Amino acid sequence: MPTAPKPRQVISLLMLRHNTVVQASELIDELWPELPPPSAVTTLQTYIYKFRKLLLKQGLGNLLHTQPGGYSLTVPASSLDVSRFEEQAEEGQKLLQQGDSAGASESFGRALALWRGPALADVETGGRLFSYVTRLEELRFRILELRIEVDLETGRHRELISELKSLVLAHPLHEHLHGLLMLALHRSGRRHEALEVYQSLRQKMIDELGLEPGKELARLQHTLLSDSPAEAPEPARRPRAEPAPPHAPSSSPSPALAPSPGPDAPPDTPPAPAPAPAPAVGSPPSPVPVPVPAPTPSLSFGPGPLTTHPAPPVPGAGDPELRESIGTPAQLPAGLAGLVGRHDVLKELKAALREPDGPGADGTAARIGVVTGPPGVGKSAVAVHLAHMLRPRFTDGQLYADLRGSFPDPRDPAEVLRGFLRALEVPTSRMPESLEECGALFRSRTAGRRVLVLLDDVASSAQIRHLLPADPRCALLVTGRRRMTALVEAKRVELYPPPPEEALEILAALAGRRRVEREPEAAHRIAELLGRHPLALRCVGGRLAARPGLSLTALADQLDATPRILDVARLGELDVRSRFDASYAGLTHAGQGVFRLLSMMGETPFSAAQAAELLSRPVPELEAVLEVLADNHLLVTDHCADGVGRYAFDRLTRAYAKERLEETLAPGASAVEEVAAG
């Protein structure tokens, strides 16, 4: 294994994605998450070459394959610890569903024995590897909890005490682990120690979070104080069983296997209790496992074969007094009146942000929707409109923040988090100082609640890492100009200029439908001359509304003749050029120079080789710059029938690049600009 950090990142990502094609762009995004250097493609090829040489020395040269656009590592799943872990964990869950607790415990034990330390402990992680590490650590912890619960059920409470004490020391605010320790101590006849565990946890939660322990943990404490047998359902983390077929005879299911309420049920409706089994005559009541609150689920980005299940309701989430004490924010900005079109996009995102339901649903992570696209295409308008559509589902509040990611001074995530915590009524005296602590408190405050978070104009996935709610009842909606591919489990939608009929609808909504119907050909010309750009259409539509006597034909002729069409695409504070200015300012000098010169390619799609020939630059060096421009949606990418990747400008983006080129070449341009242009 190489010692340099970046080659280790490449090998780790290829192994985690074994037997699939990893695109070169994904590897570059992992190695340089913010801004790849011009030599990124060449450097990556060097890392791959060295890895292949290393494999050849071991006689394994046939494992690494170069594929169109990327690489694949062919490795049998049985030779990777992570695959064996997932296989054993899944087998344990199946045995648990079948009622074989002893077999499940053995499978869980074999799965956990494969871990020799934290996931990728000696590898630096970018956005993609971080998501896999998060997922693997969450799976490991979930299986550990299941194994402990199974061992408690089989009477191994005394053997578990030392292990649970170590775990609560490592996780001092983890209610579920403290509850399991209390239960193990109680069954071992050490009731006073179990009560001390509760008091210690309660004091820590009050001091650090300003919160009381959940209702279920408090109920367990009262049970211990009264010295009465615990009467509660089985541990809440048991996997759910498959639903019975239609018309099958029904029996009283245990609460752990009872179906969850449907999506239309009220959010705080408790599941119907199952009847407790009658004790045998003359026998003492057996202690029954007492439910304790589940931990706040960590966000999991990566896919995997291990079946996951919805997290149980967090105690107290449905208490009206608790809701009132936490607050119900409603921060969404006003929606755009008369949003036109985008029906397919809205439908796709709405389905993605719906709370998972059904036996195969992944209920351990908040749902994420990402809307990206070029400047002024309507990302914020779509996201805000969708958020208002989803408000009835997120009854515990909606949070909003503009992160100013396209500006030179983006907002500090810590500042945004403190604003969210204030909206959730966290007292100033309880507000943590560090970003990590603020993020942990935010996840605690949103646990067990249905909260929608809308983050507008995000610069990169790194900017929102601590702004993610972890509960599966929550959802996150993100907009940004960059693609943010590191959010691998998010539903990503890229917005582009709408089709002609929707573009005409935008124009008609502002200029008047009758005017558009009287001059349909002129209206179509206006829409096409503006590249069907939504913001430009709104600017021009507003101009037409202010001048009812101006014919559409005259305006179309004016647009066709103007050398600087972006001068027309502005109306008051609405200015298409300023949106491009922000994206342009975020490029390096080399990127700005390539962007300007590429305007000479026209609107016809071109390959990296064609662009390199025009600019007299090496293809690998130019490819890296082209990918940065595409990632910022300043170029459109496409693959033609010959399989060669091509790039293209949309109309207004090229008009802006051409303006910049003319300004650079104009007499009086600074020497710095001339160098950058070359």
Side-chain angles (χ1 to χ4, degrees):
M1 187 77 169
T3 56
K6 290 194 182 301
R8 294 173 77 88
Q9 285 179 267
V10 171
I11 295 172
S12 298
L13 189 54
L14 288 170
M15 292 186 72
L16 285 169
R17 296 269 300 277
H18 61 283
N19 303 331
T20 62
V21 177
V22 182
Q23 296 295 323
S25 59
E26 296 179 85
L27 291 164
I28 290 173
D29 187 63
E30 165 64 27
L31 296 173
W32 300 281
E34 297 304 323
L35 188 63
S39 60
V41 174
T42 305
T43 305
L44 173 62
Q45 291 171 345
T46 302
Y47 295 155
I48 294 294
Y49 171 72
K50 290 181 178 179
F51 183 33
R52 185 171 276 121
K53 282 186 65 179
L54 187 64
L55 291 173
L56 285 170
K57 288 182 180 179
Q58 305 295 325
L60 302 172
N62 60 334
L63 298 185
L64 183 60
H65 306 278
T66 301
Q67 306 286 356
Y71 308 92
S72 66
L73 186 65
T74 305
V75 181
S78 59
S79 65
L80 294 177
D81 284 349
V82 63
S83 298
R84 292 160 58 201
F85 162 70
E86 291 177 337
E87 180 183 349
Q88 288 294 330
E90 188 172 11
E91 177 64 23
Q93 292 194 77
K94 289 180 180 177
L95 291 171
L96 197 55
Q97 285 182 331
Q98 296 166 6
D100 185 358
S101 297
S105 178
E106 291 179 4
S107 290
F108 292 148
R110 287 193 294 268
L112 295 168
L114 293 167
W115 287 77
R116 293 181 291 274
L120 299 184
D122 54 354
V123 178
E124 293 184 7
T125 58
R128 291 179 179 276
L129 284 180
F130 176 80
S131 69
Y132 283 104
V133 168
T134 302
R135 169 183 170 270
L136 288 171
E137 291 291 352
E138 171 65 14
L139 293 182
R140 175 191 189 182
F141 203 84
R142 187 182 305 123
I143 297 306
L144 175 62
E145 288 180 294
L146 283 173
R147 198 222 78 214
I148 292 173
E149 289 176 356
V150 171
D151 287 350
L152 276 173
E153 291 179 14
T154 54
R156 299 187 67 250
H157 37 272
R158 288 185 176 85
E159 294 88 337
L160 288 171
I161 290 175
S162 59
E163 180 183 7
L164 283 167
K165 283 188 173 182
S166 299
L167 287 171
V168 298
L169 285 173
H171 305 274
L173 297 175
H174 201 301
E175 293 186 55
H176 188 49
L177 289 177
H178 282 78
L180 293 173
L181 176 57
M182 290 172 64
L183 191 58
L185 288 168
H186 172 53
R187 291 183 177 177
S188 302
R190 297 157 68 174
R191 184 160 56 105
H192 67 288
E193 291 184 54
L195 292 170
E196 288 175 359
V197 170
Y198 178 84
Q199 292 300 333
S200 175
L201 171 65
R202 179 177 181 272
Q203 194 59 50
K204 288 175 188 174
M205 292 186 66
I206 292 173
D207 291 343
E208 299 185 27
L209 303 177
L211 298 173
E212 288 277 354
K215 278 188 173 181
E216 296 296 336
L217 204 59
R219 186 181 298 124
L220 175 57
Q221 184 224 16
H222 293 318
T223 300
L224 300 183
L225 286 171
S226 63
D227 196 21
S228 59
E231 295 182 3
E234 296 183 15
R237 296 188 67 87
R238 179 73 62 86
R240 296 188 305 175
E242 296 294 329
H247 311 298
S250 62
S251 60
S252 299
S254 68
L257 302 180
S260 59
D264 298 326
D268 299 322
T269 303
V281 177
S283 62
S286 303
V288 181
V290 178
V292 291
T296 301
S298 299
L299 182 66
S300 172
F301 292 108
L306 183 61
T307 305
T308 53
H309 303 275
V314 172
D319 188 341
E321 293 183 3
L322 180 59
R323 288 175 181 275
E324 185 177 354
S325 67
I326 295 181
T328 305
Q331 298 183 340
L332 296 180
L336 182 66
L339 180 71
V340 174
R342 306 297 192 187
H343 303 296
D344 291 341
V345 169
L346 291 169
K347 182 178 179 181
E348 192 174 357
L349 286 170
K350 188 176 180 181
L353 296 182
R354 184 181 182 88
E355 185 174 345
D357 187 42
D362 181 359
T364 63
R367 289 92 64 213
I368 306 175
V370 178
V371 185
T372 64
V377 79
K379 301 179 292 293
S380 299
V382 167
V384 171
H385 185 81
L386 175 65
H388 280 286
M389 292 172 62
L390 295 173
R391 282 183 66 178
R393 294 185 187 172
F394 298 96
T395 52
D396 294 311
Q398 307 87 40
L399 297 166
Y400 170 82
D402 181 358
L403 296 190
R404 295 178 56 83
S406 58
F407 291 84
D409 55 340
R411 290 187 65 186
D412 182 0
E415 173 197 347
V416 175
L417 266 177
R418 293 189 184 99
F420 285 172
L421 292 174
R422 284 191 292 272
L424 295 169
E425 298 185 0
V426 174
T428 304
S429 59
R430 303 289 187 188
M431 200 75 70
E433 294 185 4
S434 73
L435 175 61
E436 290 77 11
E437 290 174 328
C438 283
L441 181 54
F442 175 64
R443 292 190 292 275
S444 296
R445 285 301 238 190
T446 54
R449 295 165 63 80
R450 288 176 168 82
V451 177
L452 175 65
V453 181
L454 172 54
L455 301 177
D456 199 11
D457 194 13
V458 171
S460 67
S461 56
Q463 191 183 18
I464 63 172
R465 181 170 295 175
H466 296 283
L467 297 170
L468 301 168
D471 197 284
R473 301 161 187 81
C474 297
L476 175 68
L477 189 55
V478 176
T479 75
R481 297 185 183 181
R482 295 192 65 182
R483 287 175 174 162
M484 287 178 281
T485 51
L487 296 173
V488 294
E489 270 198 352
K491 178 62 181 179
R492 285 189 299 276
V493 172
E494 296 193 28
L495 288 187
Y496 293 102
E501 58 274 11
E502 288 186 11
L504 291 178
E505 281 293 321
I506 296 174
L507 196 62
L510 294 163
R513 187 169 303 279
R514 291 185 179 179
R515 292 174 75 179
V516 170
E517 290 175 350
R518 281 199 304 266
E519 300 179 84
E521 292 184 5
H524 180 74
R525 280 181 62 204
I526 291 172
E528 293 303 318
L529 287 167
L530 294 172
R532 304 197 300 275
H533 191 281
L535 182 58
L537 287 166
R538 292 188 180 279
C539 293
V540 170
R543 286 175 177 270
L544 286 168
R547 299 178 62 185
L550 178 63
S551 74
L552 270 63
T553 301
L555 179 59
D557 292 340
Q558 178 186 345
L559 290 173
D560 202 9
T562 182
R564 292 168 63 92
I565 196 169
L566 294 178
D567 289 341
V568 185
R570 60 184 303 176
L571 182 66
E573 296 181 354
L574 301 178
D575 182 6
V576 175
R577 184 183 284 113
S578 67
R579 308 297 177 92
F580 285 114
D581 284 340
S583 293
Y584 180 80
L587 300 174
T588 63
H589 286 300
Q592 291 175 352
V594 170
F595 175 68
R596 293 192 297 261
L597 291 171
L598 286 175
S599 64
M600 295 187 294
M601 299 293 295
E603 296 181 14
T604 305
F606 56 87
S607 65
Q610 291 170 325
E613 183 178 357
L614 172 70
L615 305 183
S616 299
R617 298 194 180 188
V619 173
E621 176 185 325
L622 191 59
E623 275 183 335
V625 181
L626 292 173
E627 283 300 312
V628 171
L629 294 176
D631 188 49
N632 285 275
H633 288 95
L634 293 174
L635 285 177
V636 179
T637 57
D638 192 15
H639 285 80
C640 296
D642 56 7
V644 177
R646 285 179 169 78
Y647 305 86
F649 279 110
D650 64 38
R651 178 158 294 193
L652 291 194
T653 309
R654 179 176 177 268
Y656 177 81
K658 191 176 179 182
E659 281 186 11
R660 284 291 189 170
L661 179 62
E662 291 169 352
E663 291 170 3
T664 304
L665 299 178
S670 68
V672 174
E673 288 179 323
E674 290 176 2
V675 170

